[in-house]
Amino acid sequence: MKPSRSERVRATPPKLFTYVLVGFIALLGLTCLYYGSSFAPGSRKSDEFDGSSPARAGFASNRDGESRVEVPRSIPICDSKHSDLIPCLDRDLYHQLKLRLNLTLMEHYEHHCPPPERRFNCLVPPPAGYMIPIKWPVSRDEVWKANIPHTHLAQEKSDQNWMVVNGDKINFPGGGTHFHYGADKYIVSLAQMLKFPGDKLNNGGSIRNVLDVGCGVASFGAYLLSHDIIAMSLAPNDVHQNQIQFALERGIPSTLGVLGTKRLPYPSRSFELAHCSRCRIDWLQRDGILLLELDRLLRPGGYFVYSSPEAYAHDPENRKIGTAMHDLFRRMCWRVVAKRDQSVIWGKPISNSCYLKRGPGVQPPLCPSGDDPDATWNVSMKACITPYSVRMHKERWSGLVPWPRRLTAPPPRLEEIGVTPEQFREDTETWRHRVMEYWKLLKPMVQKNSIRNVMDMSSNLGGFAAALNDKDVWVMNVIPVQSQPRMKIIYDRGLIGATHDWCEAFDTYPRTFDLIHAWNTFTETQARGCSIEDFFIEMDRILRPEGFVIIRDTSENISYIKKYLTLLKWDKWMTETTPNGDSLSAAKDERVLIARKKLWSVAAISEL
């Protein structure tokens, strides 16, 4: 007999429960399978000590919009395999996320940050055997091998005198791909080609800022320093992965970057000279877009030094490339200034006259009037020529005075950001007094020449760096993305720096800087809804052991910041003071905190 309708209805719930239970188990299994593959060894699975973990906040917004996030009880340590971690240049991550990056256009060497759920929230440990870096100027010529235990470059470039392994140290003879006999002699030869007085490449202070593309271990930039020239030495994190890491360990101004699809994070008219010594760049690709990026960056009358090996002179393919480059330069209105063997120096025009005389339809075109040549953060390169404004027309070097007067003279582009010469001078004087106060506080703890690489996280007009000019240091001036128009003033003062978004990790190696200065950076970061915890983890990553931070912020923020210092495993040493009020003090309750990071190892921590 068939069951009645009422009996069938009563029988349904147990069956339905069974189906739901089976479905839930299947879903749970698929979920475990997905996360098991996503956070497998080599990715970012979290545990109590390993720390190779996805950050729960990862420079993301604070939870529920709170102005204060509770300080965590602990911050884990990353696995030792991540001792060289660069979060936004992590090619393993690109593979795991299956990013569709164009390798031909070098997109895989550009800035790509992980999503919040895949970001690290752990302290990056130093490599085993790490030692406090050798002090400048000795570090120009030698570093500890344990600090960068990657010696493949020494073997690969042994015939070019890049670097030599010598026991527990790595030595740098000063050679390069095109200057085997030393960068110092090569620099003199360039000055001779340009017929500069006294064979001095700085030409009486008119040549100050240089962009060295594909710089290797930055020996060219290292030897320019004695000529009162500062180079932004640039190279990607490519097959020669640690070349910039060696440069930074040596104390040479340098940074990770690539001529790919995005503009470099520097404003227009930033450099007097660009340099490429066998940098293996296809300058003709995409209608010459990479050369047009250099054109954007060079000042009126600027130079482009292009050097290639002697062997290229007789190679048919390279001769063909050289002819095509010559044709492109001609259409860009550049001219050959000097040529010797396989080195050619091109000059950029100082006016729009040549552009206006070109025939109709000549490529590359002039950029449209609405294009902002100083907008750089996450902005694609453009295959067009940036014409000069009416004011800059026929103004060689953008009307800047020679170095070192350039450092303190109000630059012409001040009016573009709404700052008067009087305000500029007041800012310069204010920072001179502030830095004097800082150094009095630091003096009891700082050894001679122990500070070389410095970062200013929110540089404004560059006053902090200008006040350090009498110290044997170099400063990476960072302009937060919300203030990027001010970056042009940094370069017009003869300083260097980059635009950056502090809601993301900075593209440099761990343990880069000896001193980090943060003026109101925490207030600005918090106002944008970014994670303070991740900000601290990033500061810890890029600060060297026994390095210092100078934090100037509100007293409320300083009190909150101090709670993190123990979590970061920094020294117990710190000093705090109420600074003298000045024209830049926005808050009446401003405080200055100076703290020091200590040297620790994974082995020592695990024994505690």
Side-chain angles (χ1 to χ4, degrees):
M1 181 183 292
K2 293 182 180 180
S4 66
R5 176 177 175 83
S6 60
E7 288 174 330
R8 289 200 302 269
V9 171
R10 286 194 298 269
T12 298
K15 291 182 180 179
L16 180 61
F17 176 77
T18 301
Y19 296 153
V20 171
L21 180 61
V22 170
F24 176 75
I25 293 172
L27 179 62
L28 182 62
L30 289 172
T31 303
C32 292
L33 178 63
Y34 171 77
Y35 283 103
S37 61
S38 296
F39 301 132
S43 63
R44 294 164 169 72
K45 187 175 180 181
S46 174
D47 60 52
E48 183 177 353
F49 180 77
D50 179 31
S52 46
S53 161
R56 55 181 184 275
F59 280 42
S61 299
N62 292 333
R63 291 163 297 193
D64 303 321
E66 295 176 358
S67 60
R68 276 283 175 265
V69 177
E70 184 179 349
V71 176
R73 286 182 291 181
S74 65
I75 299 177
I77 298 173
C78 303
D79 188 278
S80 58
K81 66 186 176 184
H82 298 306
S83 63
D84 289 340
L85 174 69
I86 309 169
C88 297
L89 294 175
D90 185 354
R91 288 197 296 278
D92 288 339
L93 177 71
Y94 302 168
H95 178 72
Q96 293 164 17
L97 296 179
K98 299 180 180 179
L99 299 183
R100 295 181 178 180
L101 303 176
N102 191 320
L103 305 188
T104 303
L105 303 185
M106 304 297 177
E107 280 189 298
H108 55 308
Y109 296 141
E110 293 185 319
H111 183 86
H112 301 284
C113 292
E117 69 274 10
R118 300 300 299 275
R119 294 177 181 177
F120 285 74
N121 65 332
C122 51
L123 304 179
V124 175
Y130 181 87
M131 303 172 69
I132 299 302
I134 295 172
K135 297 176 183 178
W136 180 267
V138 178
S139 64
R140 188 195 73 174
D141 301 324
E142 62 180 35
V143 301
W144 296 117
K145 184 174 69 174
N147 291 7
I148 311 177
H150 309 287
T151 58
H152 62 281
L153 268 180
Q155 285 81 40
E156 183 179 342
K157 302 293 184 179
S158 59
D159 61 329
Q160 299 171 16
N161 279 330
W162 276 33
M163 50 192 283
V164 179
V165 178
N166 184 12
D168 59 355
K169 294 179 180 178
I170 296 175
N171 298 120
F172 300 88
T177 305
H178 193 68
F179 39 91
H180 303 177
Y181 303 106
D184 50 349
K185 297 180 179 62
Y186 175 67
I187 290 167
V188 170
S189 73
L190 295 180
Q192 292 172 342
M193 290 175 65
L194 290 167
K195 299 179 180 180
F196 286 165
D199 299 338
K200 301 293 186 182
L201 191 60
N202 69 0
N203 193 27
S206 64
I207 304 293
R208 167 61 181 173
N209 293 2
V210 167
L211 177 66
D212 188 16
V213 181
C215 65
V217 293
S219 289
F220 180 64
Y223 284 84
L224 283 174
L225 291 169
S226 61
H227 294 260
D228 272 342
I229 297 174
I230 188 165
M232 179 63 86
S233 296
L234 181 80
N237 185 29
D238 59 8
V239 291
H240 303 143
Q241 287 185 23
N242 302 93
Q243 53 190 340
I244 290 296
Q245 191 175 20
F246 282 116
L248 293 166
E249 184 76 8
R250 297 172 69 186
I252 302 168
S254 47
T255 191
L256 288 162
V258 67
L259 285 165
T261 67
K262 303 293 185 183
R263 283 178 172 175
L264 295 176
Y266 321 124
S268 66
R269 307 197 305 272
S270 291
F271 302 95
E272 286 84 34
L273 186 146
H275 175 257
C276 163
S277 173
R278 196 187 178 186
C279 51
R280 297 182 180 276
I281 292 174
D282 178 7
W283 294 107
L284 298 173
Q285 63 173 282
R286 293 174 285 158
D287 301 318
I289 194 169
L290 303 185
L291 277 176
L292 291 163
E293 173 67 356
L294 288 190
D295 182 87
R296 182 184 72 85
L297 293 171
L298 280 175
R299 301 195 200 276
Y303 301 109
F304 175 47
V305 179
Y306 181 70
S307 299
S308 58
E310 292 80 358
Y312 283 19
H314 307 291
D315 180 74
E317 183 61 27
N318 282 287
R319 292 178 68 177
K320 182 179 178 181
I321 292 172
T323 301
M325 285 183 64
H326 182 89
D327 178 64
L328 176 59
F329 277 128
R330 179 183 58 79
R331 287 183 278 116
M332 291 170 59
C333 293
W334 290 26
R335 64 186 179 88
V336 175
V337 177
K339 187 178 188 303
R340 179 185 295 175
D341 300 324
Q342 286 301 105
S343 293
V344 183
I345 302 178
W346 299 84
K348 178 181 174 178
I350 64 171
S351 75
N352 292 330
S353 299
C354 175
Y355 305 145
L356 301 177
K357 293 177 182 177
R358 299 188 312 163
V362 173
Q363 298 295 317
L366 295 182
C367 296
S369 58
D371 177 64
D372 181 2
D374 298 327
T376 61
W377 185 253
N378 202 29
V379 175
S380 296
M381 291 182 186
K382 295 176 173 61
C384 57
I385 299 170
T386 302
Y388 299 123
S389 65
V390 174
R391 173 162 189 152
M392 287 298 107
H393 194 65
K394 297 185 179 181
E395 282 282 353
R396 191 177 185 85
W397 312 131
S398 299
L400 299 173
V401 299
W403 177 267
R405 285 192 294 133
R406 185 178 300 184
L407 183 67
T408 53
R413 290 198 281 186
L414 275 177
E415 64 176 339
E416 296 180 20
I417 62 169
V419 174
T420 66
E422 292 72 23
Q423 290 171 325
F424 175 84
R425 294 188 185 96
E426 183 179 21
D427 182 272
T428 300
E429 184 64 15
T430 298
W431 278 108
R432 188 179 69 82
H433 287 290
R434 284 187 171 192
V435 169
M436 287 174 59
E437 289 181 11
Y438 294 163
W439 237 250
K440 289 178 183 177
L441 297 171
L442 278 169
K443 191 173 182 180
M445 301 302 298
V446 174
Q447 300 179 15
K448 184 179 180 181
N449 295 331
S450 61
I451 294 178
R452 172 61 184 170
N453 300 353
V454 178
M455 171 181 274
D456 188 6
M457 301 182 88
S458 186
S459 297
N460 193 32
L461 300 176
F464 174 77
L468 289 174
N469 189 52
D470 61 340
K471 313 290 183 187
D472 207 358
V473 303
W474 70 275
V475 181
M476 176 64 79
N477 291 278
V478 180
I479 294 292
V481 65
Q482 63 270 25
S483 304
Q484 67 175 322
R486 295 184 172 234
M487 191 80 251
K488 67 187 76 171
I489 306 305
I490 301 296
Y491 279 90
D492 287 355
R493 300 186 76 162
L495 305 170
I496 61 171
T499 302
H500 183 64
D501 184 348
W502 280 120
C503 292
E504 300 176 357
F506 192 82
D507 287 343
T508 192
Y509 286 91
R511 303 170 300 279
T512 288
F513 297 103
D514 303 295
L515 174 65
I516 297 176
H517 175 245
W519 171 48
N520 286 342
T521 315
F522 293 95
T523 293
E524 294 171 0
T525 301
Q526 190 178 40
R528 296 184 63 214
C530 304
S531 166
I532 293 296
E533 179 181 341
D534 289 332
F535 191 96
F536 267 111
I537 290 171
E538 174 64 2
M539 179 179 279
D540 178 84
R541 185 184 72 85
I542 64 178
L543 184 65
R544 285 176 169 174
E546 295 197 3
F548 295 87
V549 294
I550 303 175
I551 302 171
R552 190 181 192 114
D553 218 301
T554 65
S555 59
E556 181 184 8
N557 275 348
I558 293 296
S559 297
Y560 180 68
I561 287 165
K562 287 193 294 185
K563 298 176 182 178
Y564 271 94
L565 298 186
T566 302
L567 302 180
L568 296 176
K569 310 186 190 308
W570 288 10
D571 258 347
K572 293 181 179 179
W573 182 86
M574 72 174 73
T575 185
E576 183 181 354
T577 187
T578 300
N580 295 324
D582 54 45
S583 60
L584 298 178
S585 300
K588 295 181 179 180
D589 60 343
E590 199 173 43
R591 300 283 289 171
V592 172
L593 173 69
I594 302 179
R596 183 175 64 181
K597 176 180 175 178
K598 74 176 181 180
L599 174 60
W600 53 266
S601 67
V602 173
I605 296 295
S606 61
E607 292 173 359
L608 296 179

